[in-house]
Amino acid sequence: MDRVLLNHGVARAIGYSHLFFMNEECRTSHAKHWDVDLDGSPIATLPIDVAKNAWVANARSQLHIVSVGRLVNFKAYNLGAPRIVAALRERGVPVTWDIYGAGPLLGEIEEEIERFQVNDAVHLKGELAYTDFQTT
């Protein structure tokens, strides 16, 4: 909570119009949370090339989920990955999940992987450079 208050205080001090957001959803959620108008705050997209998906399904396809991002509280969906993988496997769905990123939730995610016994299916891959995003 302290970090959230500190971040909002810094944002107010430098001026909302000087903030950059990575996408419209992020800007909208901050505007709602802070109860301010951020329409003047620009969006700076990441320099990632978008390419046509080369994947084609077949009868032997395995579901492969990939998460990319910092392992922080407001992106805590990665904490649920081991439980989701375990539940899908119980239903007969062959699945793996690669998690790219680093941050304070790393230890908790490792604990969840052990707890749900999905070490062979949920893989912590470390940080992913933007230049390697498309090929990875």
Side-chain angles (χ1 to χ4, degrees):
M1 190 62 166
D2 292 342
R3 187 192 83 240
V4 172
L5 290 172
L6 180 61
N7 285 345
H8 188 204
V10 170
R12 255 194 327 243
I14 65 171
Y16 297 122
S17 63
H18 297 290
L19 300 178
F20 288 83
F21 291 91
M22 63 183 161
N23 55 45
E24 181 62 42
E25 294 80 8
C26 186
R27 182 172 69 180
T28 300
S29 70
H30 279 77
K32 182 179 177 183
H33 186 75
W34 291 341
D35 193 28
V36 296
D37 178 11
L38 295 176
D39 287 343
S41 300
I43 294 174
T45 57
L46 295 175
I48 297 172
D49 292 332
V50 177
K52 184 178 178 183
N53 190 351
W55 179 79
V56 178
N58 64 48
R60 297 180 322 271
S61 288
Q62 176 174 325
L63 178 59
H64 187 97
I65 302 169
V66 179
S67 301
V68 180
R70 292 180 298 133
L71 306 179
V72 294
N73 286 335
F74 72 93
K75 295 181 181 181
Y77 54 85
N78 288 307
L79 279 172
R83 179 183 50 78
I84 292 167
V85 167
L88 287 170
R89 289 174 127 189
E90 284 179 18
R91 289 171 176 80
V93 178
V95 59
T96 58
W97 194 318
D98 291 344
I99 300 173
Y100 287 90
L105 290 184
L106 180 64
E108 288 180 64
I109 296 168
E110 289 171 331
E111 289 172 9
E112 290 295 289
I113 290 170
E114 290 296 323
R115 179 175 156 214
F116 287 97
Q117 300 176 354
V118 290
N119 312 54
D120 61 325
V122 180
H123 308 110
L124 296 168
K125 300 286 202 167
E127 294 183 5
L128 177 63
Y130 291 130
T131 55
D132 297 334
F133 185 87
Q134 191 60 46
T135 57
T136 303

